[in-house]
Amino acid sequence: MLEAEWNQRRLDENKQRRKDHRSPFQRDRARVLHSAAFRRLQAKTQVLGVGQNDFYRTRLTHSLEVSQIGTGICAQLKLKHPELVDLLDNDGLIETLCLAHDIGHPPFGHGGEVALNYAMRGQGGFEGNGQTFRILTKLEPYTKSDGMNLARRSLLGVLKYPALESSLVNQSSYLTPKGRFLKAKDWVSVKGVYNEDAEALDWVLSPFSNGDRDRFIEHYQPDSNSYPHRKTRYKSFDCSIMELADDIAYSVHDLEDAIVLGLVRVEDFVEQVSCELCQSPEPWLADLFDDLAIDLFSEHHYQRKDAIGTLVNGFITAIAAVQVHPEFEHPLLRYNAKLSTPYAKALDVLKRFVYGYVIQRLDVQRLEFKGQQLLVEVFDALQSDPQRLLPSNTYQRWCAHRESGGSGDRVIADYIAGMTDAFAQKTHQGLFGALEG
């Protein structure tokens, strides 16, 4: 059995709930599902802009699909690894992580992240995963100041990058913009936890030995020129399951959206995906991709859905729990969920295809850019006169942040990050639109 402290909450609770026999993680799942931050995902961009079409996925429907895939991964791992029952017998945990994994992402997708990272330059920056941790531990008003007050293991599971921003950032990578417009590649976010949330991070990691903790927060400088900051090395077992579920949903379901909306051509899919993967050393994959394009691009909806389901099932059933980091003492850090090599390559090929043919499309990038510039203008306006322009409750938080030694800008970033796409546009219109009458 894992230590009971992984079920503990930072704020002691004495809930008088009649005959409530739920596990801590079932309760956590309910807190995420009923939170305002989760509901707002229904009106936040996943890849394509909310409101452009009524078919494709929002961040909310994406999160629901990630949760379903995560549940499927857990079911497979329980069958494959009965010896790990203590790690896997946690009903509701993986669903909680999958439902919560995107709640920190701002409006307008990556464009919104670029805007807020620029706005918070020199003050800890902005990054969606760090914001998720902040919402769960501080911002969501389930408690007065401890966020949703989730169990410790739930918070460990959402920590995709378990180190502080200050230990990872390369300030020299941030170039002073020329004029009013930001180049996205000049404002790549640091993937880590905000320094202001260091106390919550310390609490989450406190059950680990000093050696495990120090190793878990290690980081390195990647060779790639595309990412200028340092990166963390490790993820917990639960986080690795959530991240695989997210990758599968992104690669397969976002591809489905693009096909239905006519954004990708069957010829491109065959050339960039099928031709490579039908040569896979894994016979099942080779057979599948030999004629997968026929079903994916079929005019019959049921054929495409069956192909999507087959693809998702193939990835889920190729996942195993592997002791990838034997140097750790604790099993939550020693084990990670891993795809077998041929399936990992197939998932990477699909991810690259979606990125190149969907996310990098001119219309998608222009939409991100418009949202990016809109949020920069909103932030600058609110920052110029918070007392006058912020809602009263947000202004009170701004004042408290100032009294504790901060600039108040983190409160403005929190406020904007919580907006839906439509509310951000409405706020911008209210600040900069033409006067009526």
Side-chain angles (χ1 to χ4, degrees), residues 12-28:
D12 288 336
E13 295 181 355
N14 184 26
K15 301 289 186 185
Q16 302 298 319
R17 302 287 169 81
R18 182 173 181 269
K19 297 182 180 181
D20 189 352
H21 302 298
R22 294 175 296 169
S23 73
F25 307 118
Q26 289 173 320
R27 293 172 63 192
D28 284 355

Side-chain angles (χ1 to χ4, degrees), residues 292-355:
L292 182 66
I294 296 173
D295 290 332
L296 280 181
F297 288 84
S298 170
E299 63 182 22
H300 301 297
H301 183 71
Y302 68 89
Q303 280 184 259
R304 183 174 57 253
K305 293 304 292 185
D306 184 62
I308 291 292
T310 299
L311 196 53
V312 171
N313 175 260
F315 286 124
I316 288 175
T317 54
I319 295 172
V322 182
Q323 194 170 194
V324 291
H325 303 300
E327 64 272 24
F328 284 108
E329 300 171 33
H330 204 285
L332 281 174
L333 304 184
R334 284 203 309 270
Y335 288 92
N336 271 187
K338 302 285 286 185
L339 271 168
S340 65
T341 301
Y343 287 86
K345 179 180 179 181
L347 188 62
D348 185 60
V349 170
L350 285 171
K351 283 173 67 176
R352 284 191 277 113
F353 182 78
V354 170
Y355 181 79

